[in-house]
Amino acid sequence: MAGRAMVKDRKGRFVQKLVKIERPILRIPTLAIHLDRQETFSFNKETQLFPIAGLVAAELNRQSKGDDTAKAEITNGNGSSTRFRPLKAPDERHHPHIMELIAKEIQVSPSEIIDFEMVLYDTQQSCLGGINEELLFSARLDNLEMSFCSTVGLIDSVNPSSSLDDEESIRLISLFDHEEIGSNTAQGADSNFLPTIIRRLSVLPEFGGNAEPDPDAYEQSLSKSFLISADMAHSVNPNYAVKYEPDHKPEMNKGTVVKINANARYATNSPGIVLIEETARRARVPLQLFVVRNDSSCGSTIGPMLSAALGTRTLDLGNPQLSMHSIRETGGIYDVDYVIKLFEGFFVHYTELGGSFTID
C-alpha cells in the first residue's frame, strides 16, 4: 500500500507525508475456477474486488493484548465534546490497524493523521528472467520504464562538464500522472502544467542579460521544439502472432519501437521518423516500427493530446513489452540500455539536428 497522508504537526501545520508500506498486507482473492467456469473472466467491481486484510480471530486476539487506539474525540464531564469534527475521524472511517500501519510508516501517532490517499500495489520485486536472464519481469513497466530511462538519459546528457557550453536549447522531461484514466487532472498531460512551464522558461533572459523578453518567445519556442512521447509499446506475442500486422512484429531486445497510426492515435510523422532515425544512427542503437492491423483497435498515448495543445512536432515511441496492463509485465533488459542511449543522443544532438530540417 502506498500514497500520502495529511498530518497535523505540533505547530498546527498541515503537512504531507509520503507513505510506502513494502510488506504485503492485503490480497484480493479471485473465485476458484472450479466454482464458476465462465469462459471470460469477469467480476463486479463493487462486490467482488474487496481485499482481505486478515482474519477476525487474529485481530480480536491482537486487540485483547492491550493494543488500544486513541479516541477521536474527548468528552467533558458533562458529556459534551471538546472538539467539533465536520467529518468522522479517520480511525472511525477506516480500520484502526490500517491507521496504525500508516502512522508507524511515517513516524507519527494515528491521532495526528487528518486524512490520506492510498492505493494498492504489487509488492513482489522486479527480477530478471529467461534462460539467459535477458528478460525483465516486473509490475508497471508501462510506464515506469520510460519514465526511468528518460530521466537517466537526461542526466547522462549533461555528464560532461562542457555539455551545455554551446547549447541553445533547454533539455526537459515531463512525467505525468493519470495517463490511464484520461490525463484530465491537475497533474495529468491534459492540464496546463507543461505549457505553463515552457511559457515561463521561454521568457527567461539570457544568462547575464537584461533584455526584455520577446512577446512571441513562447510561440517561437514551441515551433523550434520537438516532443518525444515515450510510452511502452507492444512486443509480438508468439501465442497470438495473428493479432499483429505481418510486417510489423516488434521483438523485445531488438530496439525501441516507433509507433505509427493513420488515425492519429499516435503523433508520429515522417519528419519525426527521420529525426529519430538519425539520432539512433549517432547513438548506434536499433529501432523498430509498429503499425497496428487495420482490423484491430489501437491504443493511444499523451502524444496526440500534447501535440494538439502545443502545436509542437511530436513522435511516439516506446520499448516493446508483453502483457501490458497485467499485474506482471515482461520486457527486454537490452532495450533499457538502448533507449537510454537514444534519449541521451536526442538531448545532445537535437539543437544541431532540429536546425537541419526544412519543412513547408
Side-chain angles (χ1 to χ4, degrees), residues 155-283:
I155 294 171
D156 289 350
S157 78
V158 295
N159 269 339
S161 58
S162 60
S163 60
L164 300 179
D165 287 353
D166 300 315
E167 181 62 273
E168 299 176 2
S169 303
I170 294 176
R171 304 175 185 181
L172 179 148
I173 62 172
S174 187
L175 310 178
F176 295 101
D177 287 339
H178 303 146
E179 189 264 343
E180 299 295 354
I181 58 172
S183 298
N184 191 21
T185 63
Q187 58 268 46
D190 201 20
S191 68
N192 71 343
F193 174 76
L194 183 57
T196 300
I197 294 296
I198 297 175
R199 185 181 295 277
R200 295 174 67 184
L201 290 174
S202 66
V203 298
L204 289 176
E206 293 185 12
F207 183 76
N210 297 311
E212 288 293 322
D214 188 326
D216 297 324
Y218 173 65
E219 289 75 14
Q220 293 176 19
S221 296
L222 294 179
S223 68
K224 295 177 181 179
S225 299
F226 191 90
L227 170 68
I228 292 180
S229 169
D231 200 355
M232 294 293 281
H234 298 291
S235 171
V236 62
N237 187 321
N239 296 328
Y240 300 92
V242 70
K243 294 289 187 179
Y244 300 78
E245 208 279 332
D247 294 325
H248 294 88
K249 295 181 177 181
E251 298 181 36
M252 291 179 292
N253 286 331
K254 290 195 174 181
T256 301
V257 178
V258 177
K259 299 183 279 187
I260 306 167
N261 184 260
N263 294 318
R265 300 290 288 174
Y266 304 130
T268 304
N269 58 19
S270 290
I273 293 176
V274 173
L275 186 144
I276 205 67
E277 183 179 15
E278 177 60 21
T279 301
R281 186 188 67 79
R282 297 187 181 196

Side-chain angles (χ1 to χ4, degrees), residues 62-109:
R62 184 188 73 87
Q63 292 180 0
S64 68
K65 294 180 179 179
D67 190 2
D68 296 326
T69 303
K71 298 294 184 183
E73 293 187 351
I74 302 173
T75 55
N76 293 325
N78 60 9
S80 63
S81 174
T82 61
R83 185 180 181 187
F84 171 71
R85 288 187 179 273
L87 294 173
K88 290 183 178 179
D91 59 357
E92 294 182 75
R93 290 182 275 146
H94 306 283
H95 197 286
H97 200 177
I98 296 295
M99 295 294 300
E100 293 165 20
L101 287 173
I102 295 172
K104 181 179 179 182
E105 183 66 25
I106 57 178
Q107 299 180 339
V108 300
S109 69

